[in-house]
Coordinates of all heavy atoms in Angstrom, one line a residue:
K480 N -16.0 13.2 2.9 CA -16.2 14.5 2.5 C -17.3 15.2 3.3 O -17.1 16.4 3.7 CB -16.5 14.5 1.0 CG -16.7 15.9 0.4 CD -16.9 15.8 -1.1 CE -17.1 17.2 -1.8 NZ -17.4 17.0 -3.2
T481 N -18.4 14.6 3.5 CA -19.6 15.2 4.1 C -19.7 14.9 5.6 O -20.4 15.5 6.4 CB -20.9 14.8 3.4 OG1 -21.1 13.4 3.6 CG2 -20.8 15.1 1.9
G482 N -19.0 13.8 6.0 CA -19.1 13.4 7.4 C -20.2 12.4 7.7 O -20.3 11.9 8.8
V483 N -21.0 12.1 6.7 CA -22.1 11.1 6.9 C -21.5 9.7 7.3 O -20.5 9.2 6.7 CB -22.9 11.0 5.5 CG1 -23.8 9.8 5.6 CG2 -23.6 12.2 5.3
G484 N -22.1 9.1 8.3 CA -21.7 7.8 8.7 C -20.5 7.7 9.6 O -20.2 6.6 10.1
L485 N -19.8 8.7 9.8 CA -18.6 8.7 10.6 C -18.9 8.3 12.1 O -18.2 7.5 12.7 CB -17.8 10.0 10.5 CG -17.2 10.3 9.1 CD1 -16.3 11.5 9.2 CD2 -16.5 9.1 8.5
P486 N -20.0 9.0 12.7 CA -20.4 8.6 14.0 C -20.7 7.1 14.2 O -20.4 6.5 15.2 CB -21.6 9.5 14.3 CG -21.4 10.7 13.4 CD -20.8 10.1 12.2
A487 N -21.4 6.6 13.1 CA -21.8 5.2 13.2 C -20.6 4.3 13.1 O -20.5 3.2 13.8 CB -22.7 4.9 12.0
L488 N -19.6 4.7 12.4 CA -18.3 3.9 12.3 C -17.6 3.9 13.6 O -17.1 2.9 14.1 CB -17.4 4.5 11.2 CG -16.0 3.9 11.1 CD1 -16.0 2.4 10.9 CD2 -15.2 4.6 10.0
L489 N -17.5 5.1 14.3 CA -16.9 5.2 15.6 C -17.6 4.3 16.6 O -17.0 3.7 17.5 CB -16.8 6.6 16.0 CG -15.9 7.5 15.2 CD1 -16.0 9.0 15.7 CD2 -14.5 7.1 15.2
A490 N -19.0 4.4 16.6 CA -19.8 3.6 17.5 C -19.5 2.1 17.3 O -19.5 1.3 18.2 CB -21.2 4.0 17.3
K491 N -19.4 1.7 16.0 CA -19.2 0.3 15.7 C -17.8 -0.2 16.2 O -17.7 -1.3 16.8 CB -19.3 0.1 14.2 CG -19.2 -1.4 13.8 CD -20.4 -2.2 14.3 CE -20.5 -3.6 13.8 NZ -21.6 -4.3 14.3
L492 N -16.8 0.7 16.1 CA -15.5 0.4 16.6 C -15.6 0.2 18.1 O -14.9 -0.6 18.7 CB -14.5 1.5 16.2 CG -14.1 1.5 14.8 CD1 -13.2 2.7 14.5 CD2 -13.3 0.2 14.4
D493 N -16.4 1.1 18.8 CA -16.6 1.0 20.2 C -17.2 -0.4 20.6 O -16.8 -1.0 21.6 CB -17.4 2.1 20.7 CG -16.6 3.2 21.5 OD1 -15.6 2.9 22.0 OD2 -17.1 4.3 21.5

Side-chain angles (χ1 to χ4, degrees):
K480 182 178 180 180
T481 66
V483 170
L485 298 187
L488 172 58
L489 294 175
K491 188 64 176 179
L492 288 173
D493 255 335

